[in-house]
Amino acid sequence: MTTGSDDPVLAGIAEQVEKGNAPRTKALVEEALAGGCEAWDVLNGGIMPALRILGDGLKDGAVSLAEVMISVGAVKAGLSVLEPLLVRSTATGRDAVVVIGTVLGDVHSLGKDLVVTLLKASGFRVVDLGADVSPSRFVESVTKHQAQIVAMSGLLTSSRLTMRDTIAALKNAGLRQQLGVVVGGGAVDRQTAQEMGADAYGEDAAGASDLILRLVRNRSG
Amino acid sequence: MKRLENGVRFEIYVGNIVDCYTDAVVIPTSSTLEWASELAQELTKRAGASTLAAARHKAPLEIGEAVVTPAGGMLARFIIHVALPPASAIQTMPEVERRNLLDAAMKNSLLRCAELTVPSVGLPNLGRWLGFSTAESARLMLAALGHHWPDECALEEVHLVLRDSAETAAFVKADNGSRT
């Protein structure tokens, strides 16, 4: 356990998320709240550090995809307790509508699913289009839901092209100016995100909420 | 092939739960993550000893609770281990308590499926493990599938894996009865 929280309950939450123990994670989240911890502190001090470690482990090959999926399950169990409290304490900008999906030709949705969970927990209104989403579906959904943010995810290298096509489709539909566009996933890095005309690059799921909040606030001036 | 009331595909098979070809399978265990001897042998053969050793790190579990581990060499990707009392304790346990336990086991297994966002799960006859007759187990398990379906759940298929044709007949009868 290397998350390093001084609070033993928060450290315990991090440990159980890493182990992928959903019932224990949920019980410890309840214990932390009962002990006077704020919901945001539980999220930032218990859950997020574990997610960062898991994300690094996945990149290094030290943790398998199945183990990460199990840990994400534990995060969801913890968030089922935290979510109502987090939404109540939302800050300005967190009520923005985010349309999110894994782009056409790519069905890898684990990272995207985690981002969806964390964005919802942070108070954003999230429209999850799932995986293999065409540019036209992104355009339709942005129009329908009057979204402020489009978030695209992809793991395959070919997804870069589809992301570029989607940004072009948003531009052609006259929607690009009013939108913040975020891209993330293994298919992209900061440089490719910039080259394809995205406004921001989401490096990991844990930072997605803050990244989108900054983008919403910057765009609303 | 049938569908549950929520439109989810529902299949009944005769076979062994450890051979079930779904994304996740529910496997009964104890609070200390020890499996009944025959099941332990089959799991060791299919999933691998290291998978079971890793699972034991998640002990202890409350009775009725469920935890997930990778499924090693099994056809499924995940094992949902649900903790049930030992046979000796079940014999003296009041029926209402056993019903509550079955309810909790079903609820927690479905919750784990929802958290994993898996599209299919294999379930054994959990009621049998809790000492219910096949007919009663069928009625209770089918009812629990209806009552405890999670709000956000990606499950599209539930496979019920039964031991023999007698169990299958009882579940089919209970399923037909619940629809009339």
Side-chain angles (χ1 to χ4, degrees):
Chain A
M1 231 290 296
T2 51
T3 48
S5 174
D6 292 336
D7 184 312
V9 181
L10 295 186
I13 291 169
E15 186 182 350
Q16 295 307 327
V17 168
E18 278 188 70
K19 281 185 175 174
N21 192 322
R24 202 83 60 80
T25 301
K26 188 177 174 189
L28 283 173
V29 167
E30 285 167 342
E31 188 182 326
L33 293 173
C37 253
E38 291 291 332
W40 285 105
D41 293 337
V42 177
L43 182 68
N44 292 321
I47 291 174
M48 292 303 195
L51 284 177
R52 289 198 182 96
I53 289 170
L54 286 163
D56 291 344
L58 188 62
K59 274 183 208 164
D60 300 346
V63 182
S64 73
L65 191 59
E67 286 169 319
V68 173
M69 286 180 76
I70 293 167
S71 287
V72 170
V75 170
K76 287 179 183 172
L79 287 177
S80 69
V81 180
L82 286 180
E83 221 169 65
L85 304 167
L86 292 168
V87 173
R88 271 209 298 276
S89 59
T90 54
T92 311
R94 287 192 194 268
D95 55 351
V97 177
V98 180
V99 167
I100 185 166
T102 304
V103 296
L104 185 71
D106 200 331
V107 293
H108 297 89
S109 58
L110 174 63
K112 185 269 300 170
D113 288 345
L114 182 54
V115 170
V116 168
T117 303
L118 294 173
L119 290 179
K120 281 184 182 172
S122 306
F124 289 103
R125 287 182 284 162
V126 182
V127 181
D128 181 7
L129 300 178
D132 197 19
V133 182
S134 66
S136 62
R137 274 193 69 208
F138 274 108
V139 170
E140 278 166 29
S141 186
V142 165
T143 310
K144 182 177 170 188
H145 298 283
Q146 297 181 312
Q148 286 99 315
I149 300 290
V150 166
M152 290 182 275
S153 173
L155 180 68
L156 306 174
T157 312
S158 58
S159 292
R160 293 177 189 177
L161 295 173
T162 325
M163 287 174 180
R164 192 170 298 165
D165 291 346
T166 306
I167 292 172
L170 291 166
K171 211 177 275 182
N172 291 340
L175 298 167
R176 180 68 185 89
Q177 286 298 315
Q178 69 200 52
L179 273 176
V181 175
V182 184
V183 293
V188 287
D189 54 24
R190 200 171 298 281
Q191 193 185 337
T192 49
Q194 207 168 13
E195 284 167 3
M196 69 176 67
D199 297 307
Y201 162 62
E203 194 172 341
D204 57 28
S209 173
D210 287 343
L211 177 75
I212 288 177
L213 185 59
R214 275 201 304 277
L215 199 55
V216 171
R217 286 179 177 166
N218 287 345
R219 297 186 74 81
S220 61
Chain B
M1 190 274 287
K2 296 214 170 197
R3 290 197 183 269
L4 299 174
E5 278 179 13
N6 53 14
V8 168
R9 210 170 131 165
F10 180 66
E11 304 261 15
I12 297 177
Y13 294 102
V14 174
N16 192 331
I17 189 68
V18 296
D19 295 323
C20 186
Y21 191 17
T22 45
D23 292 274
V25 289
V26 174
I27 300 281
T29 185
S30 70
S31 60
T32 52
L33 272 291
E34 298 291 342
W35 298 265
S37 60
E38 194 183 327
L39 186 55
Q41 279 175 17
E42 287 163 353
L43 280 172
T44 306
K45 209 188 296 173
R46 309 288 205 291
S50 60
T51 301
L52 301 193
R56 286 196 189 91
H57 287 300
K58 299 197 175 184
L61 286 189
E62 275 183 37
I63 296 293
E65 244 329 332
V67 289
V68 187
T69 64
M74 287 168 66
L75 292 170
R77 285 193 294 159
F78 301 103
I79 303 174
I80 298 172
H81 304 270
V82 61
L84 299 180
S88 56
I90 288 167
Q91 283 170 358
T92 56
M93 195 177 274
E95 184 176 330
V96 65
E97 211 171 305
R98 288 186 289 128
R99 277 172 193 257
N100 290 342
L101 267 180
L102 179 56
D103 217 38
M106 290 291 290
K107 181 183 175 184
N108 288 320
S109 298
L110 289 172
L111 268 178
R112 295 297 91 84
C113 288
E115 289 158 4
L116 283 171
T117 60
V118 286
S120 61
V121 65
L123 281 170
N125 180 358
L126 288 177
R128 180 167 57 83
W129 289 80
L130 286 162
F132 289 106
S133 69
T134 306
E136 187 64 352
S137 173
R139 197 182 65 74
L140 294 171
M141 284 183 68
L142 290 168
L145 278 175
H147 295 153
H148 296 303
W149 200 262
D151 288 339
E152 290 185 21
C153 188
L155 278 179
E156 294 166 4
E157 289 179 30
V158 174
H159 293 201
L160 194 58
V161 183
L162 302 174
R163 279 189 313 179
D164 52 39
S165 55
E167 277 197 344
T168 306
F171 269 84
V172 169
K173 192 175 170 192
D175 186 31
N176 290 337
S178 71
R179 290 162 201 266
T180 52

PDB file of all heavy atoms in Angstrom, chain A residues 157-169:
ATOM      1  N   THR A 157      -4.808   3.322 -32.152  1.00  0.00           N
ATOM      2  CA  THR A 157      -4.176   4.447 -32.844  1.00  0.00           C
ATOM      3  C   THR A 157      -5.122   5.038 -33.894  1.00  0.00           C
ATOM      4  O   THR A 157      -5.154   6.251 -34.099  1.00  0.00           O
ATOM      5  CB  THR A 157      -2.876   3.965 -33.531  1.00  0.00           C
ATOM      6  OG1 THR A 157      -2.137   3.216 -32.578  1.00  0.00           O
ATOM      7  CG2 THR A 157      -2.044   5.126 -34.018  1.00  0.00           C
ATOM      8  N   SER A 158      -5.904   4.170 -34.537  1.00  0.00           N
ATOM      9  CA  SER A 158      -6.849   4.644 -35.559  1.00  0.00           C
ATOM     10  C   SER A 158      -7.890   5.601 -34.975  1.00  0.00           C
ATOM     11  O   SER A 158      -8.518   6.367 -35.712  1.00  0.00           O
ATOM     12  CB  SER A 158      -7.552   3.453 -36.206  1.00  0.00           C
ATOM     13  OG  SER A 158      -8.227   2.703 -35.218  1.00  0.00           O
ATOM     14  N   SER A 159      -8.059   5.562 -33.678  1.00  0.00           N
ATOM     15  CA  SER A 159      -9.053   6.439 -33.044  1.00  0.00           C
ATOM     16  C   SER A 159      -8.679   7.916 -33.179  1.00  0.00           C
ATOM     17  O   SER A 159      -9.540   8.791 -33.114  1.00  0.00           O
ATOM     18  CB  SER A 159      -9.200   6.087 -31.561  1.00  0.00           C
ATOM     19  OG  SER A 159      -9.783   4.820 -31.443  1.00  0.00           O
ATOM     20  N   ARG A 160      -7.376   8.178 -33.353  1.00  0.00           N
ATOM     21  CA  ARG A 160      -6.953   9.581 -33.523  1.00  0.00           C
ATOM     22  C   ARG A 160      -7.657  10.204 -34.728  1.00  0.00           C
ATOM     23  O   ARG A 160      -8.114  11.342 -34.670  1.00  0.00           O
ATOM     24  CB  ARG A 160      -5.445   9.663 -33.765  1.00  0.00           C
ATOM     25  CG  ARG A 160      -4.625   9.261 -32.590  1.00  0.00           C
ATOM     26  CD  ARG A 160      -3.163   9.321 -32.973  1.00  0.00           C
ATOM     27  NE  ARG A 160      -2.330   8.748 -31.930  1.00  0.00           N
ATOM     28  CZ  ARG A 160      -1.036   8.610 -32.024  1.00  0.00           C
ATOM     29  NH1 ARG A 160      -0.398   8.992 -33.113  1.00  0.00           N
ATOM     30  NH2 ARG A 160      -0.338   8.089 -31.046  1.00  0.00           N
ATOM     31  N   LEU A 161      -7.718   9.410 -35.806  1.00  0.00           N
ATOM     32  CA  LEU A 161      -8.353   9.926 -37.030  1.00  0.00           C
ATOM     33  C   LEU A 161      -9.840  10.181 -36.796  1.00  0.00           C
ATOM     34  O   LEU A 161     -10.397  11.176 -37.243  1.00  0.00           O
ATOM     35  CB  LEU A 161      -8.168   8.929 -38.185  1.00  0.00           C
ATOM     36  CG  LEU A 161      -6.729   8.715 -38.638  1.00  0.00           C
ATOM     37  CD1 LEU A 161      -6.654   7.589 -39.648  1.00  0.00           C
ATOM     38  CD2 LEU A 161      -6.171  10.006 -39.239  1.00  0.00           C
ATOM     39  N   THR A 162     -10.472   9.252 -36.091  1.00  0.00           N
ATOM     40  CA  THR A 162     -11.902   9.393 -35.833  1.00  0.00           C
ATOM     41  C   THR A 162     -12.173  10.588 -34.918  1.00  0.00           C
ATOM     42  O   THR A 162     -13.173  11.289 -35.084  1.00  0.00           O
ATOM     43  CB  THR A 162     -12.456   8.105 -35.189  1.00  0.00           C
ATOM     44  OG1 THR A 162     -11.784   6.993 -35.739  1.00  0.00           O
ATOM     45  CG2 THR A 162     -13.940   7.990 -35.416  1.00  0.00           C
ATOM     46  N   MET A 163     -11.281  10.816 -33.974  1.00  0.00           N
ATOM     47  CA  MET A 163     -11.438  11.980 -33.103  1.00  0.00           C
ATOM     48  C   MET A 163     -11.352  13.256 -33.945  1.00  0.00           C
ATOM     49  O   MET A 163     -12.131  14.191 -33.770  1.00  0.00           O
ATOM     50  CB  MET A 163     -10.354  11.988 -32.016  1.00  0.00           C
ATOM     51  CG  MET A 163     -10.568  10.940 -30.936  1.00  0.00           C
ATOM     52  SD  MET A 163      -9.164  10.908 -29.802  1.00  0.00           S
ATOM     53  CE  MET A 163      -9.656   9.615 -28.662  1.00  0.00           C
ATOM     54  N   ARG A 164     -10.383  13.255 -34.859  1.00  0.00           N
ATOM     55  CA  ARG A 164     -10.208  14.411 -35.746  1.00  0.00           C
ATOM     56  C   ARG A 164     -11.470  14.610 -36.603  1.00  0.00           C
ATOM     57  O   ARG A 164     -11.961  15.728 -36.747  1.00  0.00           O
ATOM     58  CB  ARG A 164      -8.986  14.173 -36.645  1.00  0.00           C
ATOM     59  CG  ARG A 164      -8.529  15.397 -37.390  1.00  0.00           C
ATOM     60  CD  ARG A 164      -7.197  15.129 -38.048  1.00  0.00           C
ATOM     61  NE  ARG A 164      -6.165  14.834 -37.062  1.00  0.00           N
ATOM     62  CZ  ARG A 164      -4.985  14.299 -37.335  1.00  0.00           C
ATOM     63  NH1 ARG A 164      -4.671  13.969 -38.566  1.00  0.00           N
ATOM     64  NH2 ARG A 164      -4.098  14.089 -36.402  1.00  0.00           N
ATOM     65  N   ASP A 165     -12.005  13.501 -37.109  1.00  0.00           N
ATOM     66  CA  ASP A 165     -13.231  13.575 -37.917  1.00  0.00           C
ATOM     67  C   ASP A 165     -14.400  14.115 -37.089  1.00  0.00           C
ATOM     68  O   ASP A 165     -15.246  14.852 -37.587  1.00  0.00           O
ATOM     69  CB  ASP A 165     -13.616  12.182 -38.454  1.00  0.00           C
ATOM     70  CG  ASP A 165     -12.627  11.690 -39.501  1.00  0.00           C
ATOM     71  OD1 ASP A 165     -11.829  12.506 -39.996  1.00  0.00           O
ATOM     72  OD2 ASP A 165     -12.646  10.477 -39.805  1.00  0.00           O
ATOM     73  N   THR A 166     -14.449  13.699 -35.837  1.00  0.00           N
ATOM     74  CA  THR A 166     -15.556  14.136 -34.973  1.00  0.00           C
ATOM     75  C   THR A 166     -15.462  15.634 -34.705  1.00  0.00           C
ATOM     76  O   THR A 166     -16.476  16.350 -34.743  1.00  0.00           O
ATOM     77  CB  THR A 166     -15.542  13.339 -33.648  1.00  0.00           C
ATOM     78  OG1 THR A 166     -15.557  11.949 -33.950  1.00  0.00           O
ATOM     79  CG2 THR A 166     -16.740  13.692 -32.787  1.00  0.00           C
ATOM     80  N   ILE A 167     -14.229  16.108 -34.471  1.00  0.00           N
ATOM     81  CA  ILE A 167     -14.046  17.549 -34.251  1.00  0.00           C
ATOM     82  C   ILE A 167     -14.456  18.315 -35.514  1.00  0.00           C
ATOM     83  O   ILE A 167     -15.130  19.353 -35.446  1.00  0.00           O
ATOM     84  CB  ILE A 167     -12.588  17.859 -33.836  1.00  0.00           C
ATOM     85  CG1 ILE A 167     -12.310  17.278 -32.442  1.00  0.00           C
ATOM     86  CG2 ILE A 167     -12.325  19.374 -33.834  1.00  0.00           C
ATOM     87  CD1 ILE A 167     -10.867  17.345 -31.998  1.00  0.00           C
ATOM     88  N   ALA A 168     -14.091  17.756 -36.675  1.00  0.00           N
ATOM     89  CA  ALA A 168     -14.475  18.393 -37.948  1.00  0.00           C
ATOM     90  C   ALA A 168     -15.991  18.417 -38.105  1.00  0.00           C
ATOM     91  O   ALA A 168     -16.572  19.414 -38.558  1.00  0.00           O
ATOM     92  CB  ALA A 168     -13.832  17.651 -39.113  1.00  0.00           C
ATOM     93  N   ALA A 169     -16.640  17.311 -37.724  1.00  0.00           N
ATOM     94  CA  ALA A 169     -18.099  17.231 -37.838  1.00  0.00           C
ATOM     95  C   ALA A 169     -18.770  18.263 -36.920  1.00  0.00           C
ATOM     96  O   ALA A 169     -19.781  18.878 -37.300  1.00  0.00           O
ATOM     97  CB  ALA A 169     -18.572  15.826 -37.489  1.00  0.00           C
TER      98      ALA A 169
END
